[in-house]
Amino acid sequence: MANLKIGKMVLRSLFKRPATLMYPTVPREWKELTRGRIEIDIDSCIFCGICARKCPTDAIAVDRNAKSWSIARMGCVQCSCCVEACPKSCLLNKAGYTSPDTEKVVDTFVKPEAEPGSVVDS
Ligand code: SF4
Ligand code: SF4
C-alpha cells in the first residue's frame, strides 16, 4: 500500500512544474517593498557620516577627504536606519540582493570631481 502511494507521488512529481526556481539562471521577480540592498546616489552625498554613525552593524564607512562611501554588503542587515537618517535622501533600499560571493563584498562609491567652473549643489 505504501509503495503504491510513493509510486503515485513520484509519477505526479515527474509531470509537475518544479517548485523552485532555477536560480540564478531564472532571475527572481522582487516585490516592490523588498529591502534587498542599499544603493547610494553618490552625487547627492555630502559625506556627513550620519549614516555610518546610525548603522548598528558598522557596515558603512565614509571618507570625507577622499569623497568616498563604502558598504560592507555582508554586514548590512537591511534595517534602513541609514536610509531614514540621511539628510540628503541619497540612500535607498533597492529590490534584489547582492550576488553570493566567496569573499566579503565591500562596494565603494567615489564622488567624481566637479568640472572646473561648474556649480556644485550641496
Ligand atoms: S548620511 Fe547621506 S549624505 Fe551623509 S554620508 Fe551618509 S549617504 Fe552621504
Ligand atoms: S540598512 Fe542598516 S545595517 Fe544596512 S547599512 Fe544601513 S544602517 Fe547599516
Side-chain angles (χ1 to χ4, degrees):
M1 191 65 184
N3 284 347
L4 187 67
K5 224 172 166 181
I6 291 170
K8 273 185 187 174
M9 278 172 61
V10 169
L11 271 177
R12 263 204 309 268
S13 302
L14 281 175
F15 297 104
K16 266 200 330 202
R17 288 177 53 204
T20 51
L21 285 179
M22 293 295 289
Y23 182 84
T25 318
V26 180
R28 179 168 179 179
E29 282 179 27
W30 301 103
K31 302 275 184 230
E32 202 180 310
L33 294 177
T34 305
R35 290 181 175 191
R37 63 173 192 273
I38 299 295
E39 290 293 328
I40 184 169
D41 170 15
I42 194 69
D43 291 333
S44 304
C45 181
I46 55 172
F47 306 98
C48 61
I50 292 174
C51 54
R53 290 196 290 279
K54 289 282 180 182
C55 179
T57 62
D58 288 333
I60 296 175
V62 178
D63 187 331
R64 183 185 283 262
N65 295 328
K67 292 193 179 331
S68 73
W69 184 94
S70 306
I71 182 165
R73 294 289 180 193
M74 304 305 157
C76 175
V77 294
Q78 283 89 34
C79 67
S80 290
C81 287
C82 55
V83 177
E84 286 157 21
C86 177
K88 299 297 282 182
S89 303
C90 55
L91 297 175
L92 73 137
N93 287 101
K94 195 169 178 190
Y97 295 101
T98 304
S99 302
D101 206 309
T102 53
E103 306 287 326
K104 288 187 176 175
V105 180
V106 177
D107 285 339
T108 300
F109 301 81
V110 180
K111 191 170 189 168
E113 289 294 328
E115 293 287 324
S118 64
V119 179
V120 179
D121 183 31
S122 62

